[in-house]
Amino acid sequence: MSAPAPTVAEPDAESVLAPLLHKLQLWKPLDAADRAAILALPYTLKSLPPTGHVVREGDRPNCSCLLLSGVAFRQKLTSNGARSILAIHLRGDVVDLQNSLLHYADHSVQALTKIEVAFIPREAIIELALAFPRVGMAMWYDTLVDGSIFREWIANNSRRDATTSLAHLLCEFGVRIEAAGLGDRLRYELPITQDQLADALGLTSIHVNRTLKKLEGLGLITRTQRSVTVTEWKRLADAGDFSEEYLHLPPAATHSVP
Amino acid sequence: MSAPAPTVAEPDAESVLAPLLHKLQLWKPLDAADRAAILALPYTLKSLPPTGHVVREGDRPNCSCLLLSGVAFRQKLTSNGARSILAIHLRGDVVDLQNSLLHYADHSVQALTKIEVAFIPREAIIELALAFPRVGMAMWYDTLVDGSIFREWIANNSRRDATTSLAHLLCEFGVRIEAAGLGDRLRYELPITQDQLADALGLTSIHVNRTLKKLEGLGLITRTQRSVTVTEWKRLADAGDFSEEYLHLPPAATHSVP
DNA sequence: CGCCGGTTTGAGTCCATTCAAGAGGAGTGG
DNA sequence: CCACTCCTCTTGAATGGACTCAAACCGGCG
């Protein structure tokens, strides 16, 4: 690990971990030393094709994994062979703090699209958190927000019908894509199959298909190949019982939508 | 909810916050200074009757809340008037880190039984985490484990049928009660109504009732008034697709069961 | 004793599933 | 450029697990 120098050590070193820095600063300001320490984290780059595994359930990983580009998801398998998708992750998300810090992977993390990731040794993260407590706090906050989204998913998959929960999920994607600077909540690309949507909602892909058509019929969304475009935000949010407080985004992270 | 005024440590201060210390040391060793700092946290005691609110959805709490005795739960309401129970908490759990640190309560926390809680000002927790990074790490770990349980609940409520998910939940209660030193996984008291079980599983109380009777008929459990006793651990765990890795308990925390 | 919250049971209904089959696109290789 | 294949999407019909509605049963408690 190199010393946190104010000058650029490597031309692109800073830019590679920049998404992490951006994410951690969403909630709490960090000073120059904090920022330098984050950017000085050691890492290994890797590229994975769709369905490639970042980590498998049951592994004992010793690296965390920062998602640099593309979309990834967490999943768990049940004994009856069904799959449950637990979370969807975008650029800047640290997708494997949980498994790495806890020493045991209670779920898998896989690429949804082609992704690029940076593997960061667990020990480096622990040292960072101990030496720079503000950074540790920031990562803790990130974990708290993840937990908030998990809670919303429990309610979404337990107490909302298919139409409502699908609309809700589409809203969440829109807001998070916007917050990550990857698009507009009103018009974003969603590179996810109906099969995967079904596993994220606890439904069957057949019913997801029918529900998508229903939302389309209601004029809330339009669809093209394997992607969904939201056309009526307000009505979709109402249909999905969606309000974004649970994402705990700072005001600056989202644009106001009339 | 208003902030209870921090009180000066009393003679029995150490024993009051001891459950917190015990919980935080489950995963990582802490040194004497760390332990002393935890026990020196300011707090206000409060007792709540069943259904009493620790925090309400939409509040902006400035205190976290440590559960000293009794059972509490987190819940969210959906627009159709349904309730989703997101977590059950036992002695030693810090039940409101999420809402307090994130400044906005995305869900409510309520007493299931009569409970005793210690309110701890948010600022004191933040200062503790910054001044004693190992303690900050320990709290972060605790949040990570909470997240792991949330994930399991997503899968449980999405991809398991009523019989399996109920059996799973009964197993989780048993292991956690045992780990908290409150009883034996083979024979524990469960002060929860079928209505509440239903809201935790995304079912109706009527169906929970029938499913409980089914498990009883299979000889996996026996029931008395408002409490459940597990009689056949192994078979219940099999029926519930349960393995306790997701609880991330240290080996010492659970007794081996033949 | 009579209320009251929780439990139990029955009968009918419905949302989502299963089963089955066809249509559409994207990529591959001849 | 055209098969050919694979994967996903789409649609229909029948089934089923969980729900709704409704009523009776309990046990604790004022």
Side-chain angles (χ1 to χ4, degrees):
Chain A
M1 233 181 302
S2 58
T7 53
V8 188
E10 284 179 51
D12 59 356
E14 293 198 8
S15 61
V16 168
L17 293 184
L20 173 60
L21 186 56
H22 173 260
K23 186 107 190 292
L24 292 181
Q25 287 192 112
L26 272 185
W27 295 285
K28 287 282 166 177
L30 298 171
D31 67 22
D34 293 333
R35 291 196 297 270
I38 292 169
L39 295 178
L41 279 169
Y43 62 87
T44 309
L45 290 178
K46 193 166 178 184
S47 182
L48 290 172
T51 78
H53 277 78
V54 171
V55 63
R56 285 174 197 275
E57 190 170 343
D59 279 357
R60 297 190 158 273
N62 45 33
C63 282
S64 290
C65 172
L66 169 67
L67 186 58
L68 299 173
S69 70
V71 182
F73 64 97
R74 303 174 187 280
Q75 72 164 43
K76 229 176 233 256
L77 300 175
T78 52
S79 61
N80 55 24
R83 174 176 71 165
S84 194
I85 290 183
L86 310 164
I88 304 282
H89 288 289
L90 307 172
R91 181 180 69 190
D93 287 347
V94 184
V95 294
D96 209 23
L97 270 178
Q98 0 259 334
N99 286 329
S100 159
L101 286 183
L102 294 175
H103 289 74
Y104 176 85
D106 57 68
H107 64 283
S108 300
V109 178
Q110 275 182 271
L112 186 65
T113 64
K114 179 177 182 298
I115 62 171
E116 288 180 299
V117 294
F119 285 100
I120 304 172
R122 173 178 54 230
E123 289 310 320
I125 289 181
I126 293 175
E127 283 168 22
L128 176 66
L130 292 177
F132 298 85
R134 253 191 313 272
V135 177
M137 284 284 304
M139 292 193 284
W140 182 17
Y141 270 56
D142 192 60
T143 302
L144 284 167
V145 173
D146 275 354
S148 177
I149 297 174
F150 289 140
R151 287 193 293 274
E152 188 71 26
W153 280 41
I154 292 174
N156 206 40
N157 291 7
S158 300
R159 284 294 186 223
R160 294 194 177 111
D161 63 25
T163 307
T164 311
S165 62
L166 177 56
H168 186 99
L169 188 60
L170 294 178
C171 288
E172 180 182 312
F173 286 151
V175 172
R176 288 179 55 204
I177 283 170
E178 194 172 278
L182 296 171
D184 182 339
R185 72 174 67 179
L186 293 177
R187 190 164 293 276
Y188 63 87
E189 294 295 301
L190 186 67
I192 191 173
T193 66
Q194 295 178 8
D195 211 42
Q196 290 159 338
L197 276 178
D199 284 337
L201 292 167
L203 302 169
T204 57
S205 61
I206 292 162
H207 202 234
V208 165
N209 180 274
R210 290 175 175 139
T211 308
L212 280 171
K213 289 183 74 73
K214 180 181 169 189
L215 289 177
E216 196 174 28
L218 290 171
L220 306 184
I221 60 172
T222 58
R223 295 180 301 146
T224 59
Q225 304 299 115
R226 287 196 205 181
S227 76
V228 176
T229 308
V230 180
T231 52
E232 287 262 14
W233 178 264
K234 179 68 171 61
R235 287 176 57 208
L236 185 67
D238 286 346
D241 188 19
F242 180 83
S243 70
E244 66 188 78
E245 281 79 18
Y246 74 94
L247 295 171
H248 294 280
L249 292 168
T254 52
H255 322 313
S256 66
V257 173
Chain B
M1 190 165 295
S2 60
T7 55
V8 180
E10 296 165 37
D12 62 331
E14 293 199 5
S15 60
V16 168
L17 293 184
L20 174 60
L21 185 57
H22 173 259
K23 186 107 190 293
L24 293 181
Q25 288 193 112
L26 272 184
W27 295 284
K28 288 281 166 179
L30 299 171
D31 67 22
D34 293 332
R35 291 196 298 269
I38 292 169
L39 294 178
L41 279 169
Y43 63 87
T44 308
L45 290 178
K46 192 167 178 184
S47 182
L48 290 172
T51 78
H53 277 78
V54 171
V55 63
R56 285 174 197 276
E57 190 171 345
D59 278 356
R60 297 189 157 274
N62 44 33
C63 281
S64 289
C65 173
L66 169 67
L67 186 57
L68 299 173
S69 71
V71 182
F73 64 97
R74 303 174 185 280
Q75 72 164 42
K76 230 174 231 256
L77 299 175
T78 52
S79 61
N80 55 24
R83 173 177 72 164
S84 193
I85 289 184
L86 311 165
I88 304 283
H89 288 289
L90 306 173
R91 180 180 70 190
D93 287 348
V94 184
V95 294
D96 210 24
L97 270 178
Q98 1 259 330
N99 286 330
S100 159
L101 286 182
L102 294 174
H103 289 74
Y104 176 85
D106 56 69
H107 64 283
S108 301
V109 178
Q110 275 182 272
L112 186 65
T113 64
K114 178 176 184 300
I115 62 172
E116 288 180 299
V117 295
F119 285 101
I120 305 171
R122 172 177 56 232
E123 290 309 321
I125 288 181
I126 292 175
E127 284 167 22
L128 176 66
L130 292 177
F132 298 86
R134 253 190 314 271
V135 178
M137 284 286 300
M139 293 192 284
W140 182 17
Y141 270 57
D142 192 59
T143 302
L144 284 167
V145 173
D146 276 353
S148 178
I149 297 175
F150 289 140
R151 286 193 294 275
E152 188 70 26
W153 280 41
I154 292 174
N156 206 40
N157 290 8
S158 299
R159 284 293 187 223
R160 294 195 178 111
D161 62 26
T163 307
T164 311
S165 61
L166 177 56
H168 186 99
L169 188 61
L170 294 178
C171 289
E172 181 182 312
F173 285 151
V175 172
R176 288 178 55 205
I177 284 170
E178 193 172 279
L182 295 171
D184 182 338
R185 71 175 65 179
L186 292 177
R187 189 165 293 274
Y188 62 87
E189 293 295 302
L190 186 68
I192 190 173
T193 66
Q194 295 178 7
D195 211 43
Q196 291 159 338
L197 274 177
D199 283 338
L201 293 167
L203 303 169
T204 58
S205 61
I206 292 162
H207 202 235
V208 165
N209 180 274
R210 290 175 174 140
T211 308
L212 280 171
K213 288 183 73 73
K214 181 179 170 190
L215 290 177
E216 197 174 26
L218 290 170
L220 306 184
I221 60 173
T222 58
R223 295 180 301 146
T224 60
Q225 302 299 113
R226 287 197 204 180
S227 76
V228 176
T229 308
V230 180
T231 52
E232 288 262 14
W233 178 263
K234 180 66 171 59
R235 286 176 58 208
L236 186 67
D238 287 347
D241 187 18
F242 180 83
S243 70
E244 66 188 78
E245 281 79 17
Y246 75 94
L247 294 171
H248 295 281
L249 291 168
T254 52
H255 320 314
S256 65
V257 173

